[in-house]
Amino acid sequence: MSFHRFYASWFDHLNHLVHQLTLAPKPTTPQDNPALLQLVQKVISHYSQYYRAKSVAAQNDAVSLFAAPWSSSLERSLHWVAGWRPTIVFHLIYTETSARFESHIADILHGVRTGDLGDLSTAQLHRVSELQCETVREENEITRELAKWQEGAVELVEAGGDGNVEEKIGGLMSVLVKADELRMRTIWRVAEMLTPQQAVEFLIAAAELQFGVRVLGLNHDNQRENV
């Protein structure tokens, strides 16, 4: 199966998993909820499957993954190293936390715990902030590696058809693998910091952002084709 077909199948199943998340009943206790935890693990495993398949595809043709023909123009415009920028996770967390906090502020002021993303503890916020700083550092290092590879474009052209071309493309694959490992690690570590209910809400918000960008991008491309 080509990666293009794999992605279409994977994306459809992500929709199915997110539907399961949205139907999951709200837990009576914030911590102890094996059913929700199992759902969270299923979704994270699904993301892991995507990056494993992408890694295999990169070994065959890393350049095509940067072109990402299965993505819309809008999606490609938002890509960082052939995928989403890891630090966007933290902007998403802060946005969701702020929105939910404001919607439940009356309850919170009366000491009622909502248990959702608007109810992150001080310790959780501190851990999220620390991970954000760590992720920014790793993201910047990968960006520098990609820039260094791109600066060698002259050498790539001069190499022509000799064996050095494959070696230089291998360097691009190495950068891509590091970026995907950071993306997957960021999802996993953020989910670990949250309660099962909060992790469900985080994964739903992340997927809905992905769905929303894809729909907007496909609509935009269709409009351009019809002009």
Side-chain angles (χ1 to χ4, degrees), residues 39-191:
L39 275 176
V40 168
Q41 291 171 341
K42 281 177 64 176
V43 176
I44 291 178
S45 177
H46 189 59
Y47 280 112
S48 181
Q49 179 190 21
Y50 169 76
Y51 289 115
R52 287 196 302 271
K54 191 177 176 186
S55 178
V56 171
Q59 294 176 26
N60 298 321
D61 188 3
V63 175
S64 70
L65 293 178
F66 279 79
W70 51 85
S71 299
S72 66
S73 301
L74 176 60
E75 288 172 298
R76 287 192 292 272
S77 75
L78 297 172
H79 280 178
W80 169 85
V81 194
W84 53 272
R85 185 177 287 273
T87 45
I88 198 173
V89 165
F90 303 99
H91 296 292
L92 183 64
I93 284 285
Y94 295 138
T95 298
E96 289 293 313
T97 297
S98 177
R100 291 172 189 271
F101 178 84
E102 290 178 4
S103 67
H104 300 312
I105 191 167
D107 291 333
I108 294 171
L109 290 175
H110 286 89
V112 178
R113 303 299 301 271
T114 61
D116 61 14
L117 279 176
D119 196 20
L120 293 182
S121 67
T122 302
Q124 284 177 309
L125 287 170
H126 180 67
R127 290 170 65 195
V128 168
S129 179
E130 285 186 331
L131 180 59
Q132 180 181 15
C133 293
E134 181 182 329
T135 305
V136 167
R137 287 193 295 271
E138 292 188 62
E139 199 177 83
N140 289 341
E141 177 59 32
I142 293 170
T143 298
R144 284 191 290 270
E145 286 190 39
L146 179 61
K148 184 177 180 181
W149 187 89
Q150 291 171 333
E151 288 166 2
V154 173
E155 297 177 8
L156 185 64
V157 173
E158 289 176 346
D162 65 28
N164 288 335
V165 172
E166 291 304 317
E167 181 181 340
K168 292 182 184 301
I169 295 298
L172 180 63
M173 183 183 74
S174 176
V175 175
L176 174 58
V177 169
K178 288 181 181 180
D180 283 344
E181 287 176 348
L182 180 58
R183 281 185 267 263
M184 188 65 232
R185 190 163 63 249
T186 302
I187 293 174
W188 176 248
R189 293 184 67 182
V190 167

Side-chain angles (χ1 to χ4, degrees), residues 28-39:
T28 54
T29 59
Q31 300 293 340
D32 184 22
N33 199 286
L36 277 189
L37 187 58
Q38 186 177 29
L39 275 176

